[in-house]
Amino acid sequence: MAKPFVGIIMGSSSDSRIMRSAAEILDGFGIAHEDQIISAHRTPSRLDEYARHAEDSGFKVIIAGAGGAAHLPGMIASHTVIPVIGVPILVYNDRHQKKADAKFSAFGGLDSLLSITEMPSGSPVVSVGVNKAGNAGIYAAKILASEFPALRKKLIKYKSEQHDSVVKESRRLKKEGLAKFARKKFS
């Protein structure tokens, strides 16, 4: 798919460390996407322009990640009929701090999750778990698979590989025993 059918947007550059998982999944399935930073609060006119751009470009899905009040997914959904997948992001205040000193949202991402899922009737946004942008990528692929049979086949293969991976690990666990298996896996 050379033409982008998925738009990935995020409220700020700091969200890119979470949102890249969606891009990696889409890339793995060969799904072209267009990525932008659009702030619902700092660039509201740009948000309106982006909604028109997404419609004109023929996007089939928009993945929108945001932290804190997380208005971006709901605001973009209110401007378009394109399905929106919201990614609630746990806010970090560590731009200028060492990792050990990083501060996290007082609400642990629950603020973002609730903001995205509690949209008023008539303007729904589907949501994945906090920081689960990869799941948003998979969900977008599933939406597109109803229109593209080759993508559907890739998703079936992906699910089969997940199954096989779990069975393989289970066999290894059974053979080695829990203590040895866990030491090897997490050491």
Side-chain angles (χ1 to χ4, degrees), residues 7-19:
I8 300 177
I9 58 175
M10 61 208 81
S12 75
S13 61
S14 63
D15 297 337
S16 66
R17 72 177 127 189
I18 300 300
M19 296 304 291

Side-chain angles (χ1 to χ4, degrees), residues 1 29 51 53 60 62 150 154 162 177 185:
M1 295 181 194
F29 284 114
H53 164 73
K60 308 280 186 195
I62 296 172
K154 287 180 183 180
Q162 282 186 311
K185 183 125 179 110

Side-chain angles (χ1 to χ4, degrees), residues 42-64:
R42 292 172 288 158
T43 60
S45 61
R46 185 167 153 73
L47 184 137
D48 185 48
E49 290 167 15
Y50 178 81
R52 285 193 301 276
H53 164 73
E55 296 265 351
D56 293 344
S57 298
F59 289 2
K60 308 280 186 195
V61 184
I62 296 172
I63 300 172

Side-chain angles (χ1 to χ4, degrees), residues 1 6 8 18-33 35 63 85 128 131-144 151 154-155 158 161-162:
M1 295 181 194
V6 179
I8 300 177
I18 300 300
M19 296 304 291
R20 81 171 191 215
S21 297
E24 290 167 350
I25 291 289
L26 295 173
D27 291 345
F29 284 114
I31 300 169
H33 49 91
D35 315 325
I63 300 172
I85 304 168
V128 295
N131 289 354
K132 301 287 186 184
N135 279 349
I138 293 168
Y139 197 77
K142 287 182 173 188
I143 290 170
L144 293 172
L151 181 55
K154 287 180 183 180
L155 279 165
Y158 177 80
E161 288 169 352
Q162 282 186 311

Side-chain angles (χ1 to χ4, degrees), residues 8-130:
I8 300 177
I9 58 175
M10 61 208 81
S12 75
S13 61
S14 63
D15 297 337
S16 66
R17 72 177 127 189
I18 300 300
M19 296 304 291
R20 81 171 191 215
S21 297
E24 290 167 350
I25 291 289
L26 295 173
D27 291 345
F29 284 114
I31 300 169
H33 49 91
E34 181 186 285
D35 315 325
Q36 293 195 39
I37 297 169
I38 298 172
S39 171
H41 301 113
R42 292 172 288 158
T43 60
S45 61
R46 185 167 153 73
L47 184 137
D48 185 48
E49 290 167 15
Y50 178 81
R52 285 193 301 276
H53 164 73
E55 296 265 351
D56 293 344
S57 298
F59 289 2
K60 308 280 186 195
V61 184
I62 296 172
I63 300 172
H71 290 140
L72 181 61
M75 289 303 296
I76 197 66
S78 72
H79 283 78
T80 182
V81 296
I82 299 170
V84 175
I85 304 168
V87 179
I89 296 176
L90 173 60
V91 174
Y92 302 94
N93 290 328
D94 65 350
R95 277 196 180 164
H96 307 289
Q97 297 173 329
K98 296 176 186 171
K99 269 195 170 183
D101 298 336
K103 295 180 181 163
F104 301 96
S105 166
F107 302 106
L110 184 60
D111 47 348
S112 305
L113 178 67
L114 292 174
S115 179
I116 293 169
T117 60
E118 291 299 322
M119 287 295 296
S121 296
S123 193
V125 174
V126 69
S127 181
V128 295
V130 176

Side-chain angles (χ1 to χ4, degrees), residues 148-164:
F148 300 100
L151 181 55
R152 181 175 168 73
K153 287 179 184 175
K154 287 180 183 180
L155 279 165
I156 290 169
K157 182 180 180 212
Y158 177 80
K159 295 290 280 179
S160 177
E161 288 169 352
Q162 282 186 311
H163 173 272
D164 294 347

